[in-house]
Amino acid sequence: MPPEKSPQSPVVCGQRVLILNEHGEKLVGLLHEACSKELVILCHGFRATKDDSILVDLAAALTREGTNAFRFDFAGNGESEGGFQYGNYRKEANDLCSVVSYFSEQKYDIIALVGHSKGGNAVLLYASMYHDVTAIVNISGQFALEQGIDGRLGKNFMQKIKKEGFIDVRNKRGQFEYRVTEESLRDRLSTDTLLSSRSISKDCRVLTVHGSKDEIVPARDALMFAANIPNHELHIIAGANHRYTGHERELTSLVLDFIKPHPRTSSSLRPKL
């Protein structure tokens, strides 16, 4: 997946929280507090950080609605400890598990996990493994992880990485950006999105939001999630790109309405969160 040009939004402040993952690495996050114990955890995408404007906007909207929000950096990204890795899908799901465990111990009611792009893959993979959060929001996650690799690594990337053991990715100016090892590439290629999608409990509500004009992850990937996740709702935002430029309010509204549905006339119709 190509790097995401994610605008940083330092405007909304929160309480700094440090959480150890299973490898002893410190994960750095910001907790936005509201007058409740309900909590939504927000996950960033590939080579992005907790200060991604999509996450910052969602955190602000959630707190206005009376729900706590926590956004954090996966290991090897942003302020968190650890080395950056190209794949790391399972490790990021396990980082998320450390975050969920921490806040569960603090007696928060975790009502949803939300992820953008690769963060969408992280929350879905988590849901397939742990079955303890009942609402998941996948914003522009990628289903076909074998697709799009040659755009960054070159057409003969497998032969090159087997020969050299790694590929250094550089920008258009020839400057080094990050290293892809054979191990991290195989981590990505061995992550079975089809199996994990079908392994999500039918008791877990999943929303996938995708832009029809997404230039990084094609909208057809969203259709694949919809076809394979048992309890799934799909919303394609017409004209939206990968970062929802010009569609930020629509995105935020969709996510909030899914996480906190408007009360029904009968309490028996309300989703159990």
Side-chain angles (χ1 to χ4, degrees), residues 157-166 182 186:
F157 62 88
M158 283 304 298
Q159 294 92 321
K160 184 176 180 182
I161 207 164
K162 283 181 178 179
K163 179 181 179 181
E164 304 291 339
F166 63 89
E182 183 175 0
R186 292 194 181 281

Side-chain angles (χ1 to χ4, degrees), residues 17-22 27 39 41 70 72 92-113 126 129-133:
V17 177
L18 304 180
I19 300 170
L20 288 180
N21 67 10
E22 65 179 6
L27 306 176
L39 176 68
I41 298 172
F70 182 70
F72 73 100
E92 290 186 352
N94 288 330
D95 280 354
L96 182 52
C97 182
S98 298
V99 172
V100 170
S101 297
Y102 174 87
F103 283 106
S104 295
E105 291 170 2
Q106 301 296 316
K107 306 303 181 185
Y108 282 89
D109 177 16
I110 301 169
I111 62 171
L113 307 177
Y126 177 93
M129 296 164 64
Y130 296 104
H131 311 290
D132 57 358
V133 176

Side-chain angles (χ1 to χ4, degrees), residues 32 34 36 38-40 59 62-69 111 260:
H32 303 268
S36 77
E38 292 183 335
L39 176 68
V40 175
L62 285 162
T63 52
R64 285 196 299 269
E65 294 293 321
T67 300
N68 302 288
I111 62 171
K260 303 195 72 173

